Every structure is written in structure tokens, then in C-alpha cells.
Amino acid sequence: MEAILGTLVGLVFLFGVSGIKIDREYERGVIFRLGRFNDIKGPGMYWIIPLVDRKAQVDVRTKTVDIAPQETVTADSVTIKVNAVLYYRILDPSKAINRVENYQVAVYQAAMTTLRNVVGQNILDDVLQNRDKINQEVQQIVDEMAEPWGIEIERVEMKDVEIPLAMQRAMAKEAEAVREKRARLIKASAEQEASVKLAQASQKIMENPAALELRRLQMLTEIGAENNTTTIVMMPSDMITLAKQWSESLQNSDKQNEQLKNGDRLRM
């Protein structure tokens, strides 16, 4: 009798111990009693009824989904490949188990098709320059799809955009042309400003001829500081002025001679 009683106690003890479950801080247990959803347990230690309750364990940490490169055609008919990474976590473990067969595959497929569709609705320049806008749009669409599954999409980030080699060359030529245009405009603007300054300086020098001599002396100082072998012969500005007056007088005398000759021809 005592042996039977000890056996029964041992069986009851083993039956009770088999119902003890332990979940980590990032784990939750979805309990099914006789096939129907009963409760969500964890984290820590808890007890379920053996042979009656069944547990499905769910990890509620943030998960990372690496979306493989997707080939798509943009709105301006350019074939590209894009890949991205998606972050999500489970908010309601019961929905993640009961509403969808495999929530990991479901989230991956939803993100993959949505990324391809959203990229196809934008032109290539928007895909390259406005990635944040595309990321937010993909996140919003996938989050709406995953909400009935008790899943929250935390973030979507495009990682890389593969462009055909011919398109890369065309874009490089376009960028080079834009930079050349900008350089020419800057150079033309600088020349325009320099011409205005030179005109103002010439007016000042005409008002005060001594300023020209000072500028020449300054130029000599700048050239001498370079340690070069250039030889410069300076001529006083008075000589240049006399030469200018002499050339003007010669021109005037030539004109007078021509007028006299023309007058004599008319008299004849």
C-alpha cells in the first residue's frame, strides 16, 4: 500500500513539475487550452496544465529583415535594382500566432513587394535624392498590412541602388556639364567685377597721374620678391606723355597737309 501511495505521489509530482515553464525577458508564451487561445504568459516562471495546455513561444525583440535586391522599372523607364533593411517587433503575440501562419515570411513578402511597387512609382532622381520619402512610404504601407498581425514596423531603410552602366555614364556627363557651366558663370562674373574695378582705377589714375608711378614702383617690389631673372627697364611717364603729344602733333600736321592738297586740287 505504501509503495502504491509513493508511486502516486511521484506521478503527481512529475505531472506538476512538467507544467512549469520559464520564459526569458524577451519571450512570451501563448497558451492554448484544449486547442483554444487562453492567455499570454511570461516572462519568468509560470505553470500550465500538462496534457491540457499547449504553449507557443514568441520572441518580442526587434527583428531585422534583409530584403534581397529587387529589380524594378522606375517611372521614367529606367531598370534598377534596390535592396533595403526592415526592422519590426511583435506587439501582440496572440495575433502574430493566430492571425497569420508564419509572420516572418509574411512581413518579408509584404516588404519586398511594397518596396518594388513604391520605387516603380518614382523617377530615378527621386529614388537617388529622396530616399527618406520612399522609406517612410514603404514603412507606412507595410505597417498597415502588418497591423492585423500584431506587428509594428519600426523602420525601413534603403541600402543600395544599382544603376545600369550606361545610365551611370550619362549621369556622370550631365554632372560634369553642370559643373562646367557653373565654373564658366563664376569666371564670367569675376571678369565682369574685375572690369568694373579696373575702370574705376583708371578714372582715379587719370585724376592723379602720380598714382601711376606709385603703381609701377609697387609692381617692381612684387616682381623683385620672386627671385627671378627678369630685367625691367622703367621709363618715366613724362616721356610717354611727350611721345603721345608728338604722335598727336604728327597726325595733326598730316591732316593739315592733306587738307591743303585737297584745296589746291579744287582751285585747279
Side-chain angles (χ1 to χ4, degrees), residues 212-213 216 220 232-241 243:
L212 181 59
E213 294 297 333
R216 289 179 177 177
L220 283 175
I232 299 177
V233 179
M234 297 297 297
M235 295 179 63
S237 58
D238 293 338
M239 294 181 62
I240 297 174
T241 304

